[in-house]
Amino acid sequence: MKLTLRGIVFSALMAAILVLFGYISIPLGFSPVPITLQTLAVMLAGGLLGPLYGFLSIFLVVLLTALGFPLLQGTGGLGHLLGPTGGYVMMWPFAALLIGLLLSKVQIRGFKGYILAFIVLEVFGSLLIYVSGVPWLAYRYSMSLTNAMIQGFYPYIIGDLIKAVFAAIIIAPVRMVYPPSRLTGLVHSNVVKVS
């Protein structure tokens, strides 16, 4: 698929939102993983930009951070990506990609449409990220997987559910006016209407 200038601009804007949401951070004394709005940005990237540009926007932040730009809560460098939150961060682009792929098949209208969008956002914008984040946290701190779940999973579930609800509420009306297909100039005809 060919990249368009419009898509690249929106990807850069979403990357900036991800960086900004990183500064909204609440540290937990018992865990090296802070509460942030970054997963909300990942959900919005996939849901609003579609799979290609959603992936691109988040991958851009991860790549620039690896190169040393202080984009994640004011820090950067490969060392940051290999730190305790690295497992979460490395999964972000793939989460945005999968959210974009799955939500492109659904027209979010009516209660069932919102529920389906919420499920996609929660499973791929939250739970999938823990699949790599929690084991990496356990590895980096030489702790058991149970301990890593206590420090890097359980305290964040309620917040992630709330983020998925807000993401669905934001994505649905925006996609009606500005669908991701407008970024590429393609119109998808294989949309499943759920109402």
Side-chain angles (χ1 to χ4, degrees), residues 116-131:
L116 187 56
F118 165 78
I119 291 169
V120 168
L121 292 164
E122 178 60 24
V123 169
F124 296 100
S126 174
L127 298 179
L128 176 68
I129 294 170
Y130 292 114
V131 168

Side-chain angles (χ1 to χ4, degrees), residues 52-135:
L52 174 65
Y53 292 111
F55 176 87
L56 181 65
S57 64
I58 305 303
F59 179 74
L60 180 65
V61 173
V62 174
L63 177 64
L64 292 176
T65 300
L67 294 175
F69 289 84
L71 300 180
L72 296 179
Q73 297 146 358
T75 60
L78 198 54
H80 181 75
L81 289 182
L82 297 176
T85 59
Y88 304 95
V89 174
M90 298 305 278
M91 188 60 80
W92 288 351
F94 303 102
L97 173 75
L98 292 170
I99 288 168
L101 281 172
L102 292 169
L103 287 186
S104 69
K105 308 291 183 197
V106 176
Q107 190 171 20
I108 310 168
R109 287 197 179 151
F111 183 72
K112 288 181 186 174
Y114 277 95
I115 293 298
L116 187 56
F118 165 78
I119 291 169
V120 168
L121 292 164
E122 178 60 24
V123 169
F124 296 100
S126 174
L127 298 179
L128 176 68
I129 294 170
Y130 292 114
V131 168
S132 61
V134 172

Side-chain angles (χ1 to χ4, degrees), residues 139-171:
Y139 166 74
R140 287 295 292 149
Y141 277 85
S142 300
M143 64 174 73
S144 69
L145 199 53
T146 303
N147 234 2
M149 295 283 283
I150 292 168
Q151 293 189 32
F153 176 65
Y154 298 131
Y156 308 95
I157 291 299
I158 299 296
D160 287 341
L161 291 169
I162 294 168
K163 290 176 205 171
V165 168
F166 276 109
I169 291 170
I170 293 167
I171 290 167

Side-chain angles (χ1 to χ4, degrees), residues 2-12 53 56 182-184:
K2 191 168 98 173
L3 295 176
T4 65
L5 180 59
R6 179 186 298 167
I8 292 169
V9 168
F10 275 94
S11 295
Y53 292 111
L56 181 65
R182 288 182 63 184
L183 297 175
T184 60

